[in-house]
Amino acid sequence: ETGVTQTPRHLVMGMTNKKSLKCEQHLGHNAMYWYKQSAKKPLELMFVYSLEERVENNSVPSRFSPECPNSSHLFLHLHTLQPEDSALYLCASSSLGNEQFFGPGTRLTVL
Amino acid sequence: GENVEQHPSTLSVQEGDSAVIKCTYSDSASNYFPWYKQELGKRPQLIIDIRSNVGEKKDQRIAVTLNKTAKHFSLHITETQPEDSAVYFCAASRNNNDMRFGAGTRLTVKP
């Protein structure tokens, strides 16, 4: 399953750190997504990029900053996170209006 | 925005029995309803989807039904097997950019 890849797979960071999550899709899709998965909210849509433009930001705190430099790459920049931000962050991609394919996720722990 | 509710949260069945998971949605404009299966430690993967112009769709042991009037849709798994054990998520969207997921159902199939 190499259509959507994410790095790193695991990340431990302190509250004052700055880190970035990376997602790459090799499926020729034109939309990419960030989801947060935790015990409290199993699959929570964070950001959507369609044709490289952000189309939705579900009231996500500004300490999460997405970047989509092209249709194949998506980043999530993290800055001064809180322990409650610890979760699995999943990236997905799709052709507009069709099935979303998920990456393996990054397991983030904020100390 | 869309709100998706999913029931039950946990479901335990005996191997060979059927399993049914139900979801309701709030946005009457939603027209795409996928179901994802997430095995422990793995990414969510699409198992079946249905669009609003169809009332039922079947793929081997899996079927989905949609009632647009009542705004609910269901996943049916027949002749369950231990490898069907996983968390199942329903979702609803208008154009795939606003996908909202249910809270998930943890299905356990006992041998």
Side-chain angles (χ1 to χ4, degrees), chain A residues 4-7 21-25 32-34 72-76 90-93 103:
Chain A
V4 182
T5 58
Q6 289 186 244
T7 55
L21 310 184
K22 179 182 177 182
C23 176
E24 187 171 358
Q25 60 97 1
M32 297 186 78
Y33 314 81
W34 278 117
S72 299
H73 294 87
L74 183 66
F75 294 90
L76 187 63
L90 288 161
C91 171
S93 71

Side-chain angles (χ1 to χ4, degrees), chain A residues 36-44, chain B residues 3-12 20-24 34-39 44 73 75 86-92 100-108:
Chain A
K36 177 183 178 181
Q37 187 171 41
S38 64
K40 289 186 177 180
K41 291 189 178 182
L43 269 172
E44 185 181 2
Chain B
N3 182 48
V4 177
E5 295 194 1
Q6 182 172 346
H7 299 280
S9 56
T10 59
L11 179 59
S12 181
V20 180
I21 303 171
K22 299 182 179 181
C23 289
T24 61
W35 285 89
Y36 284 82
K37 175 184 180 182
Q38 187 174 26
E39 297 178 32
F73 55 114
L75 177 71
V87 178
Y88 292 81
F89 293 97
C90 64
R100 293 292 185 265
F101 284 81
T105 296
R106 183 173 300 278
L107 173 65
T108 302

Side-chain angles (χ1 to χ4, degrees), chain B residues 3-69:
Chain B
N3 182 48
V4 177
E5 295 194 1
Q6 182 172 346
H7 299 280
S9 56
T10 59
L11 179 59
S12 181
V13 299
Q14 207 65 39
E15 182 177 0
D17 288 350
S18 295
V20 180
I21 303 171
K22 299 182 179 181
C23 289
T24 61
Y25 61 99
S26 60
D27 187 352
S28 57
S30 289
N31 55 17
Y32 178 60
F33 307 91
W35 285 89
Y36 284 82
K37 175 184 180 182
Q38 187 174 26
E39 297 178 32
L40 188 63
K42 296 191 175 181
R43 71 191 78 190
Q45 289 193 298
L46 183 80
I47 54 171
I48 196 168
D49 57 9
I50 191 168
R51 298 189 185 272
S52 58
N53 59 345
V54 176
E56 183 174 356
K57 185 176 178 181
K58 191 173 182 180
D59 182 5
Q60 299 183 339
R61 296 187 296 108
I62 294 172
V64 58
T65 58
L66 171 65
N67 183 328
K68 286 188 293 183
T69 303

Side-chain angles (χ1 to χ4, degrees), chain A:
Chain A
E1 299 183 52
T2 58
V4 182
T5 58
Q6 289 186 244
T7 55
R9 295 294 306 276
H10 300 272
L11 178 62
V12 179
M13 59 186 289
M15 289 190 284
T16 58
N17 292 158
K18 287 185 181 181
K19 296 287 184 182
S20 295
L21 310 184
K22 179 182 177 182
C23 176
E24 187 171 358
Q25 60 97 1
H26 310 273
L27 301 170
H29 290 159
N30 51 18
M32 297 186 78
Y33 314 81
W34 278 117
Y35 287 89
K36 177 183 178 181
Q37 187 171 41
S38 64
K40 289 186 177 180
K41 291 189 178 182
L43 269 172
E44 185 181 2
L45 181 64
M46 299 175 71
F47 299 104
V48 179
Y49 276 84
S50 176
L51 301 173
E52 300 166 40
E53 290 191 12
R54 189 195 302 181
V55 296
E56 183 156 342
N57 173 356
N58 286 286
S59 302
V60 179
S62 59
R63 56 186 184 267
F64 295 91
S65 175
E67 178 189 3
C68 187
N70 55 62
S71 60
S72 299
H73 294 87
L74 183 66
F75 294 90
L76 187 63
H77 303 300
L78 315 173
H79 177 50
T80 59
L81 295 192
Q82 304 298 312
E84 59 263 30
D85 297 322
S86 298
L88 180 68
Y89 288 85
L90 288 161
C91 171
S93 71
S94 75
S95 296
L96 289 176
N98 291 307
E99 171 192 356
Q100 293 186 16
F101 290 80
F102 285 86
T106 296
R107 174 70 60 186
L108 174 67
T109 302
V110 181
L111 301 177

